Amino acid sequence: MVEAARTTLTSSGEAGSPAGLSVERLNDAYRWMVLARVIDERCLTLQRQGRIGFYAPLSGQEAAQVGAAFALQADDWVFPAYRELGVALVRGASLRSVIDQLIGNAEDLVRGTQMPNHFAFRAQNYVSVSSPIGTQITHAVGAAMAMQRRGAGRATIAFFGDGATSSNDFHAGLNFAGVFRTPTIFFCQNNQWAISLPRAQQTRSPTLAQKSEAYGFPGIVVDGNDVDAVCRAVLEARTRAVAGEGPTLIEAQVYRLGPHSTSDDPHRYRSDEAVAAARARDPLQLLKQRLVDAGALDDATDQKVWGAARSAMSAALEEAEKVAPVEPSSLFDNVFESLTPRLEEERSESAAVGPGAGAGR
Amino acid sequence: MTELTLVQAVNRGLQEAMRQDPDVLLLGEDIGVNGGVFRATEGLQKEFGAERVIDTPLSETGIVGSAIGMALYGLKPIAEIQFQDFIYPAFDQIVSELAKFRYRSGGQYPCHVVVRAPYGGGIKGGLYHSQSTEAYFCHTAGLKVVIPSTPADAKGLLLTAVHDPDPVMFFEPKRIYRSVSGEVPDGDHRVPFGEARVAREGTDLSIFAYGAMVPTALEAAEALARDQISAEVVDLRSLVPLDERAVVASVEKTGRAVIVHEAARFCGFGAELAALLAERAFYSLKAPVQRVTGYDTPFPYALENVYLPNAARIELAARASLRAG
């Protein structure tokens, strides 16, 4: 039923357990992956229509994200980059709260402060996202040090891409994690592209996973299109982490099927043939085929899965678009816990001027 | 009360904070076994253990980044940057992350880290052991910026910083770490942010200073007093939040302002003070605002005494202010 482990290991690793996800869990995974793909497709259109300002799609990375999220516990802390919508959904972030953030309306949990995709879901231990690349890696290590201190039996996981392996904080974070043996999982989704720069121009290292060796802990390469293999790899890493055996670097090899974001045109830097080749290994199609082979899915049911996801998306969007815009006075909230005298003055000044004058539109 | 030097007061402040709350911990380079290059953390690893006084690898972005992670999880980390000059590798973490976590998460993730760093010249440290970079941080929304000038304030402001809900940049005037001593209250002692201290009362002009420039300003005021000139010296203590009322009130009384800091003049903190006076005390001013600052050069080695403001330069500026208008 479950394919043989596709996980391969660098010299410092060991072969993992062949036990995989049940058909029931694979079915769940498929539904999350379809939902993520539906959100992607719809949001690209919404951006073109001017209904949301920006979007960074995750197409091609659904299996890596859902597989990783399946291996985590609710008490673990996720330090995401801006493309990890699939992880947020699996951890329980509601579709409505996702769309509220994409719109930046009055019910947006980040209060309209951030561009789309920069979520924060405290209830899901899904930590606030920033745009600078790799900065969350050291945060994941620090939180893991705090977990060590509290004896929590928990782990942190940092999500980042191939580009981030060149960043300052990748080096600092992995180095600290190695020195302090922190319960941290470094989950690199190598989607082959950092905006326009291909993976081969990011580093001369044959794999990204092998960089772990320099920091003194295992690195694993996993087929990121295989939800089961990803889940298994992250489970192993988590087990090591909470057992006090230290961090693991996982390189999930995927392919960014869409643009970096709604602000770029990938035709400028890559060929249609390369994308077509990657589409042949679309993680949704691979999982669908596996479920069909196992007798757990047929075309009629598949249609229903897609239909349900599209309905959920439409319903949530309709609700979210009815929500009022953010209050202008909230501009001054959460700079500090309470307003300084200067911010209080500025808030009054802004209120007196009114939101229309000087506003962008 | 105990007579302490400024660096001893920092040490006692850290010790008090760590005794009060097991969630308070320190991390930085050479702070544990070695007790810090200025001995600010001397004896603390012995008392609290290597898990609370953490010697880190040599990476400022690693120190501040991991401190942020600890703070998000609920600890109260105090990160030491060995010299303020070395803070730049952590600049992204401080400005893009630490300062913005509460805001960008809609209040879901407050991030309370205290970043301590010795700053300033006068120790023959040349370009990279002498800088005063406070203005960069004052310019960033979401950070509080504090600089003590006395041992009592060093302890009192530090304990306030540790208990403050927001990120605090705590810059220590290393030139007067040992040259200044004074009575420091024992136990818990807190000095609130946003309250300037009138270090010397006067009626003829106001000298505004902070950190290591406060004793220098007092020296100038003393010299002016010999000529029957009554200079008021205001120690700002916290730059963010700034006690704007105290600054304006002093100039409303004296009509003249001399602003002193070590950092370069252009876009230095003094520019903000001068703007504040132009906006809110314009009709009280009898003379143009004077600034006595470091020059707009890199911080020099052999010529640091030329670069740094001293009492004579402050006196000259004060006399120029008195002559004008």
Side-chain angles (χ1 to χ4, degrees), chain B residues 68-82:
Chain B
I68 288 170
M70 291 176 181
L72 294 171
Y73 199 72
L75 299 184
K76 295 177 181 168
I78 304 175
E80 177 176 306
I81 301 297
Q82 200 162 74

Side-chain angles (χ1 to χ4, degrees), chain A residues 1-327:
Chain A
M1 180 177 78
V2 173
E3 292 183 17
R6 284 214 201 113
T7 307
T8 55
L9 297 157
T10 63
S11 54
S12 52
E14 290 170 24
S17 137
L21 294 166
S22 64
V23 170
E24 194 186 7
R25 287 294 275 163
L26 289 172
N27 245 318
D28 283 348
Y30 185 65
R31 279 158 178 76
W32 288 120
M33 288 162 63
V34 167
L35 179 60
R37 183 66 60 93
V38 163
I39 295 172
D40 254 21
E41 288 172 358
R42 194 71 195 272
C43 284
L44 292 174
T45 308
L46 290 174
Q47 194 275 338
R48 299 290 181 242
Q49 293 170 338
R51 290 158 78 183
I52 61 175
F54 170 91
Y55 188 73
L58 64 120
S59 290
Q61 300 179 215
E62 295 91 343
Q65 295 187 13
V66 172
F70 270 24
L72 302 173
Q73 298 292 318
D75 286 340
D76 295 335
W77 277 42
V78 174
F79 291 81
Y82 43 70
R83 210 184 290 284
E84 274 67 69
L85 176 56
V87 178
L89 294 169
V90 174
R91 288 184 71 78
S94 72
L95 188 47
R96 191 33 221 293
S97 65
V98 165
I99 299 169
D100 285 339
Q101 198 281 330
L102 297 175
I103 292 173
N105 64 27
E107 289 177 23
D108 171 10
L109 288 171
V110 308
R111 313 279 298 274
T113 57
Q114 291 233 66
M115 282 173 79
N117 298 92
H118 294 61
F119 306 105
F121 300 108
R122 176 107 208 177
Q124 280 74 37
N125 290 327
Y126 188 92
V127 178
S128 163
V129 175
S130 73
S131 305
I133 296 301
T135 46
Q136 75 279 15
I137 297 173
T138 47
H139 306 162
V141 175
M145 290 169 81
M147 288 173 174
Q148 282 176 315
R149 177 156 175 70
R150 296 250 167 111
R154 300 172 182 179
T156 64
I157 182 165
F159 286 86
F160 52 92
D162 39 313
T165 63
S166 299
S167 73
N168 298 340
D169 284 278
F170 174 83
H171 168 62
L174 270 70
N175 190 44
F176 271 52
V179 168
F180 297 112
R181 282 174 79 81
T182 61
T184 312
I185 303 159
F186 298 103
F187 191 82
C188 176
Q189 290 170 86
N190 170 10
N191 72 11
Q192 315 300 333
W193 295 94
I195 303 189
S196 66
L197 200 77
R199 153 67 184 84
Q201 280 176 255
Q202 202 64 245
T203 173
R204 185 72 76 184
S205 299
T207 72
L208 303 177
Q210 75 185 119
K211 289 173 183 277
S212 74
E213 208 164 332
Y215 301 106
F217 54 84
I220 293 167
V221 177
V222 63
D223 177 0
N225 292 324
D226 181 342
V227 68
D228 198 30
V230 170
C231 183
R232 205 160 50 240
V234 176
L235 267 176
E236 279 176 34
R238 190 185 181 281
T239 303
R240 279 175 38 75
V242 297
E245 291 167 25
T248 307
L249 171 61
I250 297 170
E251 174 187 354
Q253 294 185 336
V254 291
Y255 194 91
R256 196 191 76 210
L257 294 174
H260 160 69
S261 76
T262 46
S263 302
D264 81 312
D265 172 10
H267 292 104
R268 293 173 67 92
Y269 51 80
R270 67 186 190 186
S271 70
D272 291 344
E273 293 73 33
V275 180
R279 281 198 189 279
R281 297 207 68 243
D282 181 332
L284 269 68
Q285 293 310 314
L286 293 182
L287 183 54
K288 180 185 169 186
Q289 194 57 52
R290 182 185 293 192
L291 289 166
V292 169
D293 292 348
L297 187 71
D298 55 34
D299 280 342
T301 314
D302 190 37
Q303 290 301 315
K304 278 187 202 157
V305 170
W306 284 87
R310 289 193 175 108
S311 302
M313 175 71 199
S314 296
L317 177 65
E318 196 184 337
E319 280 177 30
E321 286 191 321
K322 281 185 201 148
V323 175
V326 282
E327 275 295 319

